[in-house]
RNA sequence: GUGGCCGUAGCUCAGUUGGUUAGAGCACCAGGUUGUGAUCCUGGGGGUCGCGGGUUCGAAUCCCGUCGGUCACCCCA
């Protein structure tokens, strides 16, 4: 090829990628997993501009970000040109992230938007950094956010319970996408932490408030440093050897508490009350503030475990996220030896900071660069005919397949969340799980002939009412095809919302067997998901 | 922004302390054998060694610059 010219203009800019047909298909494959996972979990797709006014990015964290902006201006007005010359800052910037746009979009229509807002978006982002492994100057990123609480909470405990639930829901989407792509919990973990927990621990071991930020920054870099240089740096910020020991002990204890199903189940039960048995906690943990915050982290882990993803979690004090606007739970999706695939957390003050009403929110972003590296390493990136098949698969239904409703009281709520997660995940067929060469994109994965159930788009209501009529109408307003009304484990009513008629296992081919009601249990012969998936197919 | 390593054919790479006309495998093209598009045989096209400058009788090889890639630091939204 004679294209080996030195002419700059014919090269793609540094840190960008030219996607030839096969590359574009690979990108499509990843994006489809992102999209399917978000849609099935009840998120709506939105989109924003790829460039914004520079001020938008100056509002928040302010520091390093501004130096890594690709700046943009039309060059058509003399004022613009003058501004660039004088300030060195163009009026626009290519977006380096989505959150400010999201906050802006939400703030602009806050009054008329549903609560909570569950939004996702995927597209290109730009950062003027030096490229390295897992990091380019233009990359694809997927953002998933839940903004706002369903209603005004009456007490702090209730509020916290909602927040944790939403945070768990966001983590569910992230894990769902990884599952979709064939990753398992031994490949990659969701490292979770809580900023407030770290701060309260630091306070209780005697780190003065003005040093807290410095210490957190140090902890963030800890695993990159040698133990000697860490010790030196720790001394510099006034962290004694004893402090480090008790800090490590606090996290070791916390991690132990999140190990194993039992502890998690207990934590889940405590989520509402936000109380941890004092007798069980160490001296440090017993200090009230630490106790409260550690129980928040525990409760969060419990929530994730309750929907079946406990295996994916790992409590990790090093995950603090550089971003200034994170307020509580933070998490990063990390595979051994790689940069984080995704990161996110709660940002309860940002919307207000952007000029909107005070609105708690939680979200994460996942980039395609590290994810693709990981899929390549694990042999999970399809090639050739497989790639074509993978991309040709039918995608998730934007119209909700099932609307899951808790019939009786708060006792059915955990069942509802669990069922929704199970419906979204689907059931893998025996044929596929027993095959040696498991291709995550294969149609056989959810084939019904050998016990599989396709993943479904399942939504839940965020209304506090227990009025079944109102809940059903909530489902109808969202155009759900079916409503699953959960009365108990093996007592699920199924309604066709289009015809407004009732369905029983008798109406489902191969499900008769004298079973009167559907079940929430995916292994049960009358699993409600099997009925819905069968009718939709 | 700072530093390390790398840049030879479409691809993966050889190329000895600087020394004839820069090589191999795969791929590609042509012809032959063969009853499928498989195997085997013969032949062929294709590189001014990323680019520019310097040292030298002589540079893919040494030096400087530059562009590109890669890895780490910084940062990580």
């Amino acid at each position: 090829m004679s294209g080996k010219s030195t002419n700059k203009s014919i090269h793609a800019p540094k840190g960008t990628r030219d996607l030839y047909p096969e590359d574009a298909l690979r990108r499509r494959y990843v994006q489809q997993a992102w999209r399917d996972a978000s849609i099935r979990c009840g998120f709506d797709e939105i989109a924003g501009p790829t460039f914004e006014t520079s001020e938008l990015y100056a509002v928040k964290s302010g520091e390093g970000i501004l130096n890594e902006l690709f700046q943009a201006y039309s060059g058509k007005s003399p004022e613009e040109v003058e501004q660039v010359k004088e300030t060195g800052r163009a009026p626009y910037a290519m977006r380096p992230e989505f959150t400010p746009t999201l906050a802006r979009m939400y703030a602009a229509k806050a009054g008329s938007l549903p609560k909570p807002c569950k939004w996702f978006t995927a597209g290109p982002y730009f950062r003027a950094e030096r490229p390295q492994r897992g990091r380019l100057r233009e990359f694809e990123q997927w953002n998933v956010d839940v903004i706002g609480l369903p209603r005004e909470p009456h007490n702090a405990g209730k509020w916290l319970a909602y927040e944790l639930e939403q945070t768990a829901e966001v983590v569910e989407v992230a894990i769902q996408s990884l599952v979709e792509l064939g990753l398992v919990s031994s490949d990659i973990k969701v490292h979770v932490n809580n900023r407030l927990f770290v701060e309260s621990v630091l306070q209780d071991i005697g780190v003065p408030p003005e040093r807290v930020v410095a210490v957190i920054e140090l902890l963030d870099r800890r695993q990159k440093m040698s133990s000697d240089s860490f010790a030196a740096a720790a001394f510099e910020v006034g962290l004694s050897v004893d402090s480090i020991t008790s800090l490590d002990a606090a996290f070791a204890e916390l991690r132990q508490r999140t190990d194993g199903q039992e502890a998690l189940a207990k934590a889940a039960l405590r989520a509402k009350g936000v109380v941890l048995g004092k007798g069980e906690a160490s001296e440090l943990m017993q200090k009230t503030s630490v106790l409260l915050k550690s129980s928040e982290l525990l409760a969060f882990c419990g929530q994730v475990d309750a929907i079946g993803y406990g295996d994916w979690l790992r409590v990790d004090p090093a995950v603090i996220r550089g971003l200034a606007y994170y307020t509580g739970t933070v998490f990063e999706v990390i595979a051994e030896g790689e940069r984080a695939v995704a990161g996110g957390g709660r940002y309860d003050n940002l919307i207000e900071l952007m000029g909107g009403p005070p609105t708690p929110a939680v979200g994460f972003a996942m980039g395609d660069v590290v994810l693709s590296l990981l899929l390549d390493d694990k042999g999970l990136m399809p090639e050739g005919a497989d790639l074509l098949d993978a991309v040709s698969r039918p995608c998730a239904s934007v119209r909700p397949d099932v609307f899951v409703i808790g019939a009786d009281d708060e006792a059915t709520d955990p069942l509802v969340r669990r069922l929704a997660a199970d419906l979204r995940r689907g059931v893998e067929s025996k044929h596929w799980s027993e095959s040696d060469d498991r291709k995550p994109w294969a149609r056989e994965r959810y084939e019904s002939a050998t016990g599989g159930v396709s993943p479904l788009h399942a939504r839940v209501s965020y209304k506090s009412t227990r009025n079944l009529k109102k809940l059903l109408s909530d489902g109808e307003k969202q155009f759900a095809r079916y409503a699953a009304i959960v009365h108990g484990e093996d007592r699920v009513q199924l309604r066709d919302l289009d015809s407004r008629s009732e369905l029983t296992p008798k109406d489902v081919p191969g499900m008769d067997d004298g079973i009167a009601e559907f079940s929430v249990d995916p292994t049960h012969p009358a699993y409600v998901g099997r009925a819905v998936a069968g009718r939709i197919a």
Side-chain angles (χ1 to χ4, degrees), chain A residues 166-488:
Chain A
Q166 291 181 343
T167 309
E169 202 167 357
V170 153
V171 167
E172 178 193 353
V173 189
I175 297 174
Q176 180 69 54
S177 73
L178 303 173
V179 169
E180 172 88 5
L181 292 166
L183 292 162
V184 294
S185 60
S186 55
D187 293 326
I188 190 163
K189 297 275 189 223
V190 180
H191 291 228
V192 299
N193 193 17
N194 189 309
R195 269 190 108 95
L196 302 177
F197 171 64
V198 177
E199 281 164 17
S200 65
V201 172
L202 293 181
Q203 213 172 354
D204 287 6
I205 61 175
V207 176
E210 69 272 14
R211 289 269 174 81
V212 165
V213 173
V215 173
I216 284 181
E217 276 170 9
L218 176 63
L219 291 176
D220 197 18
R221 282 177 311 173
R222 185 174 180 178
Q223 76 269 45
K224 282 185 184 172
M225 309 171 78
S226 70
S227 53
D228 282 352
S229 58
F230 173 73
F235 180 77
E236 210 162 295
V237 295
L239 208 54
S240 72
V241 176
D242 282 352
S243 309
I244 297 170
T245 313
S246 30
L247 196 62
D248 288 342
F251 276 101
E253 180 174 351
L254 192 62
R255 198 175 288 151
Q256 204 186 345
R257 282 164 181 276
T258 54
D259 273 349
Q261 305 300 314
E262 250 178 84
L264 284 171
K266 274 193 209 161
L269 288 174
R270 291 182 187 120
K272 291 203 174 79
V274 197
V275 176
L276 186 71
K278 288 198 176 187
E280 307 165 21
S282 71
E283 198 182 333
L284 176 62
M285 289 293 202
Q286 279 191 32
K287 297 196 178 180
T288 338
S289 59
V290 179
L291 194 60
L292 186 74
K293 294 310 173 190
S294 74
S295 82
E296 182 175 332
L297 187 47
L298 274 175
F300 167 69
C301 294
Q303 293 269 2
V304 175
D305 186 57
I307 56 172
Y309 292 116
D311 289 352
W312 295 73
L313 292 182
R314 202 187 130 79
V315 170
D316 182 353
V319 171
I320 295 166
R321 305 251 77 208
L323 203 48
Y325 59 67
Y326 284 113
T327 48
T329 305
V330 288
F331 60 90
E332 282 186 356
V333 179
I334 305 175
E336 190 75 26
E338 288 287 356
R339 201 173 288 280
V341 168
R346 295 215 63 89
Y347 50 98
D348 291 337
N349 307 327
L350 187 64
I351 307 277
E352 192 175 6
L353 212 72
M354 304 295 304
T359 311
V362 59
F364 73 87
M366 186 181 289
D368 73 320
V369 184
V370 180
L371 182 59
S372 301
L373 284 171
L374 189 61
L375 293 176
D376 284 340
D377 285 353
K378 301 278 176 190
L380 289 170
M381 187 59 91
E383 294 171 1
D386 282 339
L387 180 56
L388 302 187
D389 283 340
V391 174
S392 307
R393 241 167 354 158
C395 51
S397 164
V398 177
R399 182 172 178 191
D401 295 313
V402 206
F403 197 76
V404 186
I405 294 170
D408 295 331
D409 48 36
E410 297 193 351
T412 53
D413 282 358
L415 286 180
V416 167
R417 285 199 298 278
R418 175 74 199 229
L419 175 59
D422 284 341
L423 291 167
R424 291 161 180 169
R425 183 170 12 190
V427 178
E428 285 161 1
S429 71
K430 273 197 179 141
H431 176 247
W432 184 81
S433 345
E434 285 167 5
S435 141
D436 335 319
D437 183 25
R438 289 202 216 171
K439 296 172 174 174
W441 52 85
R443 285 194 183 210
E444 302 90 83
R445 186 171 183 185
Y446 301 106
E447 181 182 72
S448 61
T450 56
V453 177
S454 301
L456 296 167
H457 176 171
R459 294 196 174 201
V460 295
S461 182
Y462 295 95
K463 291 186 183 303
S464 63
T465 180
R466 293 286 155 186
N467 183 330
L468 216 52
K469 193 175 164 185
K470 286 185 178 167
L471 292 170
L472 282 167
S473 113
D474 190 14
E476 276 183 355
K477 277 179 192 154
Q478 295 183 47
F479 307 108
R481 291 173 203 273
Y482 295 92
I485 305 163
V486 180
H487 297 268

Side-chain angles (χ1 to χ4, degrees), chain A residues 54-55 77-92:
Chain A
S54 301
E55 301 95 80
S77 88
E79 292 83 3
E80 255 186 9
V81 177
E82 203 48 41
Q83 183 196 331
V84 174
K85 274 186 193 156
E86 279 177 15
T87 66
R89 184 75 61 198
Y92 304 105

